[in-house]
């Protein structure tokens, strides 16, 4: 793979780290927040409390996906990181929605990894912009199976959950 050029690969998902699949961010500026639910964005709350603020807004948080997945190409197995936009293709829902689902169904994250295992995708991989980052970034994901179903659909069926209930 050339240094800064994106590479498109056909691959199979071999596994997923289900222990840490999402992270909290400010819902206004999307800066990363600590996992403590009571912590607020220091930047947005500081600006909303200043005299120049036209709108008095207290920042809340939301969750975004950050998946570590192992993929196998025709030549090697590698670990890549899949952030929110690409992970939504795999999961079919927001990280908040999946997090809430996983609170009610404790093994949902582990089962999600099993559901994805063996699925084939066309992925575009980019070198990380941060020099300290270890893994290639997945920028696009395209399922190669015509019968692919997002993880949340499979899990809802497996756990007998109806949409809207």
């Amino acid at each position: 793979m050339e240094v800064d050029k994106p590479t498109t690969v056909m691959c199979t998902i071999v596994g997923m780290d289900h222990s840490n699949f999402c992270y909290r961010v400010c819902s206004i500026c999307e800066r990363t927040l600590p996992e403590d639910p009571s912590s607020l964005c220091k930047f947005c709350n500081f600006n909303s409390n200043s005299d120049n603020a036209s709108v008095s807004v207290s920042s809340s948080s939301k969750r975004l996906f950050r998946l570590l997945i192992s993929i196998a190409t025709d030549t090697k197995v590698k670990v890549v990181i899949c952030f929110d936009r690409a992970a939504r293709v795999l999961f079919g829902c927001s990280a908040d929605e999946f997090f809430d689902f996983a609170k009610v169904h404790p093994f949902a994250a582990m089962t999600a990894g099993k559901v994805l295992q063996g699925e084939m995708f066309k992925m575009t991989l980019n070198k990380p912009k941060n020099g300290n980052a270890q893994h290639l970034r997945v920028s696009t994901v395209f399922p190669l199976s015509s019968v692919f179903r997002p993880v949340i659909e499979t899990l809802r069926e497996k756990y007998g959950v109806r949409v809207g209930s």
Side-chain angles (χ1 to χ4, degrees):
M1 181 164 112
E2 276 189 54
V3 176
D4 291 330
K5 298 247 181 172
T7 302
T8 300
V9 297
M10 305 296 180
C11 62
T12 301
I13 293 183
V14 179
M16 178 185 97
D17 178 2
H18 57 82
S19 63
N20 191 12
F21 60 87
C22 64
Y23 62 106
R24 286 183 62 239
V25 297
C26 172
S27 60
I28 297 168
C29 68
E30 293 197 348
R31 283 182 169 83
T32 304
L33 298 174
E35 278 304 310
D36 175 16
S38 65
S39 61
L40 299 172
C41 178
K42 292 177 178 139
F43 180 78
C44 291
N45 281 328
F46 173 76
N47 285 342
S48 69
N49 293 331
S50 70
D51 294 335
N52 298 335
S54 58
V55 180
S56 178
V57 177
S58 176
S59 70
S60 59
S61 68
K62 64 181 180 179
R63 294 187 184 280
L64 297 178
F65 282 113
R66 178 179 49 214
L67 302 173
L68 271 177
I69 56 176
S70 296
I71 61 170
T73 66
D74 60 339
T75 57
K76 62 169 72 171
V77 175
K78 53 181 119 189
V79 177
V80 296
I81 193 159
C82 197
F83 284 104
D84 197 63
R85 187 179 60 210
R88 282 174 177 253
V89 173
L90 301 174
F91 277 74
C93 64
S94 70
D96 275 326
E97 185 179 346
F98 187 74
F99 184 81
D100 291 341
F101 186 90
K103 280 195 298 190
V104 177
H105 304 93
F107 296 107
M110 184 174 62
T111 307
K114 291 179 181 178
V115 166
L116 288 171
Q117 211 168 11
E119 288 287 348
M120 295 191 67
F121 295 93
K122 179 177 166 182
M123 292 184 178
T124 304
L125 306 176
N126 292 302
K127 185 176 180 198
K129 293 175 182 138
N130 178 345
N132 297 329
Q134 301 174 17
H135 306 292
L136 293 172
R137 302 312 195 231
V138 177
S139 57
T140 62
V141 178
F142 183 79
L144 294 177
S145 171
S146 60
V147 294
F148 171 75
R149 292 176 55 206
V151 167
I152 195 69
E153 289 180 19
T154 304
L155 291 179
R156 282 182 183 139
E157 183 179 290
K158 181 175 180 58
Y159 289 108
V161 176
R162 292 192 190 110
V163 178
S165 52

